Amino acid sequence: MPRATVKAVTKATYLALWWPQMEHPVYVERTPIWADEHYRDPDTGWPLPTWEQALTEIDEDPTAEPAHVVTFGRQVDVKGILAGTKDSDRGVRYLTKYLTKAVAETYADDATPNPAYEAHIDRLHDHLRWLPCSPQCANWLRYGTQPKDPGPGLVPGHCTSKAHDREHLGLGGRRVLVSRGWSGKTLTQHRADRRAVVEQVLKAAGIEPETADRMAADTLTNDGRPRFVWEEVPVTNADWQTVVLDSLREHRRRRDQYDQAKQALTTGTDPPMDNRSAMASVPVTVAV
């Protein structure tokens, strides 16, 4: 795909967020009450406009404007990266660095606190406490609108979303879309793809991989009976330690087996002496 096309599409992409008014608080000293499946004015008892009614009012207002308009920045640097190159390694390090950053890490150093900076963060946090973060946010009651899908117990200023926390300062969502948002696959499908690659390597090296669903609850024997019967049993700390250690040993054994298979395929040497099914010497454990 030409980079010019990517830049043109990026420039034309935007998000207009049509939300009810949230500039002028309606309930500051008072709080709407929950009664008969609606939040109502504490004095008159009249129900507040629902989320759907508020959006309909916006649609019918020719002078209405979106609450937020989000666009990409003007700097768009599109580069292709080939696996196994220095650019790919540098790109992975760069992305990992910023994807794991937290907003709180940009604060002033704890060893030498800056009172002015901390006061600024406190003011920002106090402002974010009352801003709606989503259609379901309890803060909509402060501005005279019922949140989407309301229920009892909502209190303005006490929304449980991470976006209102001091350490997040409005960034309560994911830094990266879930896998199905950019690859079209779920995590289960990605795991299946990775397993298929491992199985191909093991088989090519003469190692028979274990059956993926060998421990599944619906696995049957040749006579059609369940292969395993799962039931709850008393567990002690010693049992937990045994299960964890067995799992760690099994993970290490599989990793070594896979590394040996890759090395054998790369160097063209004979398969490793441990040329047997991955099920061999696997301890039998009981699921709890």
Side-chain angles (χ1 to χ4, degrees):
M1 182 181 297
R3 298 181 184 180
T5 301
V6 176
K7 292 183 178 180
V9 172
T10 302
K11 185 177 181 180
T13 301
Y14 67 94
L15 169 66
L17 199 60
W18 295 90
W19 277 1
Q21 77 86 18
M22 51 183 174
E23 296 181 358
H24 307 290
V26 178
Y27 298 98
V28 178
E29 302 296 335
R30 303 169 301 155
T31 301
I33 58 175
W34 174 260
D36 298 330
E37 304 299 321
H38 287 284
Y39 279 96
R40 300 174 179 272
D41 184 282
D43 297 327
T44 65
W46 286 99
L48 273 60
T50 65
W51 182 257
E52 291 74 15
Q53 290 173 341
L55 294 185
T56 300
E57 183 178 350
I58 296 176
D59 292 338
E60 296 175 350
D61 184 2
T63 63
E65 296 182 355
H68 298 289
V69 178
V70 183
T71 61
F72 286 98
R74 288 180 291 180
Q75 180 180 350
V76 179
D77 189 8
V78 182
K79 293 183 179 180
I81 299 179
L82 297 178
T85 63
K86 293 183 178 179
D87 286 340
S88 67
D89 294 339
R90 184 165 55 250
V92 170
R93 290 195 298 269
Y94 179 84
L95 289 175
T96 303
K97 173 184 176 181
Y98 282 96
L99 292 176
T100 56
K101 276 184 176 292
V103 177
E105 294 176 357
T106 63
Y107 290 3
D109 188 1
D110 293 336
T112 57
N114 186 329
Y117 190 84
E118 294 297 332
H120 170 71
I121 297 299
D122 289 338
R123 289 193 299 270
L124 181 59
H125 177 231
D126 183 67
H127 184 67
L128 288 171
R129 175 186 175 186
W130 301 103
L131 284 179
C133 64
S134 69
Q136 293 81 12
C137 184
N139 286 342
W140 285 113
L141 297 175
R142 177 179 174 88
Y143 300 97
T145 301
Q146 295 192 63
K148 185 177 181 180
D149 303 324
L154 298 181
V155 179
H158 295 277
C159 177
T160 58
S161 172
K162 294 189 298 183
H164 300 285
D165 295 344
R166 191 180 190 274
E167 64 179 6
H168 294 100
L169 294 180
L171 301 178
R174 295 184 177 92
R175 292 178 180 266
V176 181
L177 290 176
V178 293
S179 62
R180 61 180 177 274
W182 51 268
S183 68
K185 294 183 178 181
T186 63
L187 288 178
T188 300
Q189 292 171 321
H190 282 298
R191 294 190 187 101
D193 291 343
R194 291 196 299 269
R195 181 175 184 82
V197 172
V198 174
E199 289 180 347
Q200 292 174 5
V201 174
L202 293 177
K203 289 181 179 179
I207 302 175
E208 185 64 27
E210 60 197 26
T211 305
D213 60 349
R214 70 191 187 284
M215 301 291 285
D218 56 355
T219 299
L220 304 178
T221 59
N222 294 333
D223 59 1
R225 299 172 60 187
R227 184 177 180 183
F228 300 98
V229 176
W230 301 91
E231 59 184 26
E232 187 173 352
V233 297
V235 179
T236 64
N237 289 334
D239 294 327
W240 282 116
Q241 294 174 4
T242 301
V243 171
V244 171
L245 291 176
D246 287 344
S247 299
L248 292 175
R249 283 193 291 265
E250 176 67 7
H251 175 76
R252 180 61 182 268
R253 188 182 67 80
R254 293 179 183 176
R255 170 55 63 180
D256 293 342
Q257 196 175 44
Y258 182 52
D259 291 340
Q260 291 173 358
K262 290 192 297 182
Q263 182 178 4
L265 294 177
T266 302
T267 60
T269 58
D270 293 333
M273 293 301 296
D274 186 16
N275 185 14
R276 64 185 189 276
S277 170
M279 276 297 292
S281 72
V282 176
V284 177
T285 57
V286 178
V288 179

